[in-house]
Amino acid sequence: ASLSAADEPPPSMAAMRQTFSSGKTRSLAWRMQQLKAARDMLKRHRDEWVRAVVEDTLKPECEAVVSDFTTAETDIESLISNLARWARPRAVPTPLSLLPASSRVERQPFGVT
């Protein structure tokens, strides 16, 4: 069965997959830069963002600010604050059969799904 135009991913999805496949997104510095850019964009376009939420959801402006804008802003700040700690390798127990080796878990980005 062939895909219709409506079933195909948008061109932006292909660009995101290509960027991920290049390995560019693996560095902590790149991910931090993206989070800071998202935070700055959100702050720069606060009024438009809130207006769009109000128009799309028919929420009162104060509710859009509290439940949507502030939540997004807080989530991004939390990611910025914790990313380095979350990305650090974690030591885990090594099976006896593999001693004297050591084991660790290194978290990697999921990519584009």
Side-chain angles (χ1 to χ4, degrees), residues 38-101:
R39 177 194 60 199
D40 295 345
M41 182 271 310
L42 194 62
K43 288 181 179 182
R44 253 190 337 272
H45 299 284
R46 179 189 186 278
D47 293 340
E48 297 118 297
W49 204 85
V50 170
R51 188 171 31 258
V53 171
V54 168
E55 289 173 9
D56 288 352
T57 63
L58 303 178
K59 290 180 181 181
E61 185 175 333
C62 63
E63 183 179 347
V65 169
V66 171
S67 68
D68 294 277
F69 183 83
T70 305
T71 299
E73 192 175 42
T74 302
D75 287 349
I76 292 171
E77 289 297 339
S78 177
L79 288 166
I80 289 170
S81 296
N82 293 296
L83 184 62
R85 183 173 52 85
W86 292 337
R88 248 184 268 143
R90 298 252 195 287
V92 293
T94 301
L96 288 174
S97 61
L98 297 178
L99 290 177

Side-chain angles (χ1 to χ4, degrees), residues 8-20 112:
E8 292 180 19
S12 59
M13 184 66 77
M16 285 188 278
R17 286 189 173 121
Q18 184 177 7
T19 300
F20 181 77
V112 182

Side-chain angles (χ1 to χ4, degrees), residues 20-45:
F20 181 77
S21 296
S22 75
K24 178 180 182 178
T25 64
R26 291 189 189 270
S27 84
L28 190 60
W30 187 89
R31 289 182 273 163
M32 192 65 76
Q33 174 190 4
Q34 295 300 302
L35 288 168
K36 288 177 179 178
R39 177 194 60 199
D40 295 345
M41 182 271 310
L42 194 62
K43 288 181 179 182
R44 253 190 337 272
H45 299 284

